[in-house]
Amino acid sequence: MGMHRGRPQMPGYGIEEGDEGLLDWDAVRDRLRDSHNYWLSTVRPDGRPHAMPVWAVWLADAVWFSSSLRSRKVRNLRINAACTITTEDGRAPVIVDGTAEIITDLEPIRAFLDATNAKYSAGLDMQFLDPAVNATVRVAPREVFALEEARFTQTPTRFRLYS
């Protein structure tokens, strides 16, 4: 995975120019990995936004979560795979804009299950992630935005990811 790191456009906020203070990808990735709860935003068929909290894991350069096939979020993603997922910490947020893919291959689902059980001590088994009942969703990031509130004018950083 390649990436470009730079400043986002934030006119009127007094954001410093240049590279000084830009956040490091490894630290931002750690925030993605360590967040307990995440906010997922999808788009309803009529164009209205839909936001819900989810448990998720950072695995294989993507954010993964699961949900019932009948849930509004999964129904939205089947129509429009574009979504945003954010960490829960508003003082040091990480915002991922990406494309969701519903995974049905059992090997990556098993890896997701193992990562979820390790992170949340959930004790889930493969029955919980049965592709006939629940969707395992992988969100591949296109763009990631992060900042630190305490150093607001120095830290806003945008990562553009590409293969």
Side-chain angles (χ1 to χ4, degrees), residues 57 59-60 64 101-116 126 129 136-138:
V57 297
L59 178 66
W64 295 64
E101 174 187 11
I102 296 175
I103 304 299
T104 56
D105 183 41
L106 293 182
E107 186 175 328
I109 290 174
R110 190 166 286 114
F112 165 66
L113 178 69
D114 291 344
T116 300
M126 281 301 286
L129 293 178
T136 296
V137 182
R138 177 184 185 272

Side-chain angles (χ1 to χ4, degrees), residues 16-95:
E16 295 182 12
E17 295 183 21
D19 292 344
E20 189 172 335
L22 287 176
L23 299 174
D24 178 71
W25 173 248
D26 290 338
V28 170
R29 188 186 58 220
D30 289 350
R31 288 190 211 169
L32 281 169
R33 182 195 65 217
D34 296 342
S35 186
H36 184 81
N37 295 301
Y38 301 76
W39 285 98
L40 172 70
S41 297
T42 60
V43 180
R44 296 173 193 262
D46 65 4
R48 292 180 297 135
H50 179 263
M52 290 297 292
V54 295
W55 278 0
V57 297
W58 177 259
L59 178 66
D61 295 326
V63 180
W64 295 64
F65 68 93
S66 67
S67 185
S68 166
L69 290 173
R70 296 181 303 160
S71 69
R72 168 51 51 203
K73 57 188 153 291
V74 171
R75 289 183 291 150
N76 289 347
L77 291 171
R78 286 186 182 276
I79 296 168
N80 181 350
C83 63
T84 298
I85 191 160
T86 70
T87 57
E88 65 187 334
D89 184 355
R91 292 188 173 134
V94 179
I95 299 99

